[in-house]
Amino acid sequence: MADATTQGYPPPQPGEKPPSVHTKPVGRRPWGLRWRSSIWFVTLVVGIAITTDLLIYSMIVPIIPFRLQELGYDGVSGLVGWLLFAYSAALVVFTPPIAFLSERHKNRKVPLLLGQAALIGSQVLLMEAPKFWVMAVARIAQGISASVIWVVGLALICDTVPERIVGKQLGLAMMGMSLGFLIGPPVAGALDERFGFRGPFIFGVIVTAVELIGRLLIIERQEAIRWDAAFTTLVPHNNASQANVYGAMQEEKRENQPVDSTQVVREDGEDITEAPTRVPSRTPSRTATAVDASVGDSPEEPSTLSIVGLFLKLAKSPRALSAVFLTLTYGIMISSLEPVLPLYLQAEYGLDVSKVGLVYIAAVVPSFFSAPISGWYADRGGTIISTVLCLLGSLPFWCLIIIRSHLAYFIVMFALLNLFATGTISPVTAEFASVTRSLQGVGYGHVYGAFNVAYGLGSARNAFLLTCALFQLYDHVTSDQGWLALCLFNAGLVVVSAVATVCYFGEIPALQRVIRWTRRRREGADEGEASA
């Protein structure tokens, strides 16, 4: 078996050829290799990228209607709906090729840089657009940029992070969703009032350019391995290696594999102990040279599958389909409130635009903590329990916000609803990472491409409905029956999502475990009666 110390950190993923012990890197050692390839720096950069994406999105959307009015357009609400649809459609259409090319060329940094360039260009186009079609092109470019960060960025985290804490790190990165929505609207309002409509766009370009520096500094895992970069906070600095090949397979699968007698140093929380190395049963022990000659010869590496083959492979996996379904329902539930809630608050409580923004801020603050907490628990209690707890926790509040009462009551109920609803996304993204490790030939970029398409379809559906039936929607929402129907519809989606989680999430779904347990108890009772 190849010596684990030759592989460095982060370790190679399935289907990736590890560096040979005889191969020496060419050129000077990169500056800051230790922290530029570390887990926390990669998570921080991706989290800031998500924050920037949502910050730009939440700043631009409130400004566009007024800009269209200045350009002399009528039917502004419908035009805004089409711009929302252009963003979501670009998210759906461009995600599959981005995910496929990212895995085919095994590169994350270049797509991240190109996506950032597209984001800067989209803001400049929106700021100076003289016509509606230019705005539509800019929104398409912004959708492409969002596709990159949500596919390649999340895949980069999974490339770098140990399997046992991937949920926590994804949850920390997801904090950028709440932070972006929290900062965007008030900053946009203040800049627009002080500097005019160009103020928020210029601020967005500056933030995007600063965030670009972080993407330039990242050193990917495959590059860090060339220099044996065992320099993260989770790996000791004495080049000690790890027996666990993180991300290669599920923990339960390792327990059924033969054990190599070679003793290596293993990381176990804060303690370093001696533990045997478990060898994948499909890969016999061999020398380092033999490994180098054969690792890349798997007939089903991620880069060799076509887009159709990847689609069929994911479609045959109930576990993957359930994660896609939960992402779709999450996108529908969250985006369904975006056009409706301001109208409801205006009709029910007489709130203007600025006060509606304050309601959003009050609701977003609690959800800022739910994503990392649910991700942390997903690593320890499993994605099934974490997801079901968040779904069932949000269910009563979909019903309680229907009750007509004081504004303070509505804000509290809406904040608690967002607390649980936002927490759902971290265990779902962690489940996508587990799907990758359970399907041969499927990479992280592929599954997060499916995640992005599902979310884009959910939000595009609502943008399309907003465009086609805007005034009818307003008439329904201002009535008690319209708001009641919307909340009950989303509550129904929560119930269906919880059932899908119990039936299909996990290597062994919860429902299957219950059936096996019931069957064993019944067999045990039958044996006891027979012996009696």
Side-chain angles (χ1 to χ4, degrees), residues 433-469:
S434 299
V435 168
T436 300
R437 295 186 290 268
S438 64
L439 294 179
Q440 180 72 17
V442 177
Y444 290 121
H446 300 143
V447 294
Y448 288 120
F451 164 82
N452 213 34
V453 168
Y455 184 82
L457 286 173
S459 57
R461 164 199 172 275
N462 288 290
F464 182 75
L465 292 179
L466 174 64
T467 302
C468 296

Side-chain angles (χ1 to χ4, degrees), residues 248-423:
M249 59 192 68
Q250 294 290 351
E251 187 68 28
E252 55 266 27
K253 288 184 178 180
R254 291 197 196 97
E255 298 301 325
N256 298 325
Q257 293 166 355
V259 180
D260 194 306
S261 59
T262 305
Q263 296 290 318
V264 297
V265 178
R266 177 181 181 268
E267 180 193 355
D268 188 8
E270 299 296 329
D271 300 327
I272 304 299
T273 58
E274 291 290 320
T277 302
R278 295 192 177 273
V279 185
S281 57
R282 59 184 176 85
T283 308
S285 299
R286 62 192 72 177
T287 63
T289 304
V291 170
D292 292 340
S294 62
V295 166
D297 297 334
S298 175
E300 219 173 4
E301 292 183 4
S303 60
T304 60
L305 291 177
S306 65
I307 294 181
V308 176
L310 289 168
F311 175 80
L312 293 176
K313 193 145 204 171
L314 290 174
K316 292 178 181 178
S317 170
R319 187 179 187 184
L321 290 178
S322 62
V324 169
F325 175 75
L326 259 70
T327 305
L328 177 67
T329 57
Y330 178 82
I332 292 174
M333 288 186 288
I334 296 301
S335 60
S336 65
L337 292 178
E338 290 180 2
V340 173
L341 186 61
L343 302 176
Y344 176 76
L345 292 175
Q346 182 186 46
E348 190 68 27
Y349 301 103
L351 302 185
D352 57 17
V353 176
S354 60
K355 291 180 180 178
V356 169
L358 294 176
V359 172
Y360 271 108
I361 292 175
V364 164
V365 170
S367 65
F368 185 75
F369 305 98
S370 59
I373 293 175
S374 62
W376 169 83
Y377 189 77
D379 292 328
R380 283 151 180 78
T383 58
I384 301 175
I385 298 177
S386 182
T387 305
V388 170
L389 286 177
C390 290
L391 288 171
L392 297 183
S394 68
L395 182 60
F397 298 107
W398 280 113
C399 301
L400 290 174
I401 61 173
I402 300 173
I403 300 175
R404 300 178 61 183
S405 184
H406 296 291
L407 179 60
Y409 168 85
F410 179 86
I411 293 175
V412 171
M413 295 300 103
F414 188 56
L416 292 173
L417 170 63
N418 277 274
L419 176 68
F420 288 101
T422 307

